[in-house]
Amino acid sequence: MIIQTIAFYAFAAVTVVSAFMVIAARNPVHSVLYLILAFFNSAALFLLLGAEFIAMILIIVYVGAVAVLFLFVVMMLDINLAELRQGFLRYLPIGAAVGLVLFAELMLALGVWVVSPTAAGSIAANQAALARTSNTEAIGKVLYTDYFFLFQAAGVVLLVAMIGAIVLTLRQRAGVRRQKIAEQIARTRDEAVTVVKVPVGGGI
């Protein structure tokens, strides 16, 4: 039990530090690497809590797909770090104001947050049912019943974020040939294929 407690605090400390470094690192590639470290340590915390399904989801989906995709996108964007640093002081007041507003809202939410007096009784009454249910089954039941609309709303938010990322990174460069699907579909065989009669012995 002592070892589990020490491991919990060690993984939690590394998670907090790596999460802070995600937003504090000057190099975007380093931020993504710190994000991967935070995901790994979060997965370890879930394993200690007995939620092995969520731990595997963090490793397979977030580390294996999302974080690696972030890393590829950051490296392909060819971000000019010197240009980013030039505008840091100009936007610092706005960023600080937004941060203060978010911090004030968080304090207000924590100030009015109370534990329901019936929560302990509800948890104790469901212990027998929870003991017979696996983590995956429990998450599926909760996710697709009580939180179904929130789950769908999260999907819409992610779709909007994906479209926004595509629009922000879409660039028009001179001299770059872009794929025009409509023209490719509308062309005929004579426009697409050129038959060349090669004389005997005159090939490449």
Side-chain angles (χ1 to χ4, degrees):
M1 192 65 182
I2 297 177
I3 296 177
Q4 290 183 355
T5 304
I6 296 174
F8 176 81
Y9 283 109
F11 287 130
V14 175
T15 303
V16 172
V17 173
S18 56
F20 175 76
M21 291 304 298
V22 170
I23 59 175
R26 292 178 177 272
N27 193 325
V29 177
H30 294 169
S31 296
V32 177
L33 294 178
Y34 281 118
L35 181 64
I36 294 175
L37 180 62
F39 282 153
F40 269 113
N41 285 274
S42 300
L45 290 175
F46 281 119
L47 280 178
L48 290 176
L49 295 175
E52 65 278 357
F53 176 74
I54 300 179
M56 292 304 297
I57 289 296
L58 271 176
I59 298 296
I60 296 174
V61 177
Y62 286 92
V63 176
V66 177
V68 174
L69 180 63
F70 283 172
L71 186 61
F72 286 160
V73 170
V74 169
M75 295 177 71
M76 290 176 61
L77 286 178
D78 192 19
I79 299 174
N80 190 350
L81 296 178
E83 183 178 353
L84 289 178
R85 291 170 186 171
Q86 289 177 357
F88 177 76
L89 294 178
R90 185 175 59 179
Y91 296 108
L92 181 60
I94 300 176
V98 173
L100 289 175
V101 171
L102 292 177
F103 181 76
E105 292 178 351
L106 183 61
M107 291 298 103
L108 290 175
L110 292 177
V112 299
W113 181 72
V114 294
V115 179
S116 175
T118 61
S122 301
I123 294 174
N126 295 325
Q127 286 297 322
L130 292 175
R132 297 191 300 270
T133 306
S134 63
N135 291 329
T136 308
E137 184 178 357
I139 292 173
K141 286 183 178 178
V142 173
L143 194 62
Y144 294 107
T145 54
D146 298 338
Y147 299 99
F148 177 75
F149 292 108
L150 295 177
F151 179 71
Q152 295 294 325
V156 174
V157 172
L158 291 176
L159 177 62
V160 173
M162 183 180 66
I163 295 174
I166 294 173
V167 172
L168 290 175
T169 56
L170 184 62
R171 298 177 181 176
Q172 299 290 341
R173 297 180 181 176
V176 177
R177 299 183 62 184
R178 301 184 63 85
Q179 185 180 17
K180 298 179 180 177
I181 299 176
E183 294 182 2
Q184 292 178 356
I185 295 175
R187 66 181 180 177
T188 61
R189 177 181 178 276
D190 295 334
E191 296 173 349
V193 178
T194 301
V195 179
V196 178
K197 187 175 182 181
V198 181
V200 178
I204 297 175

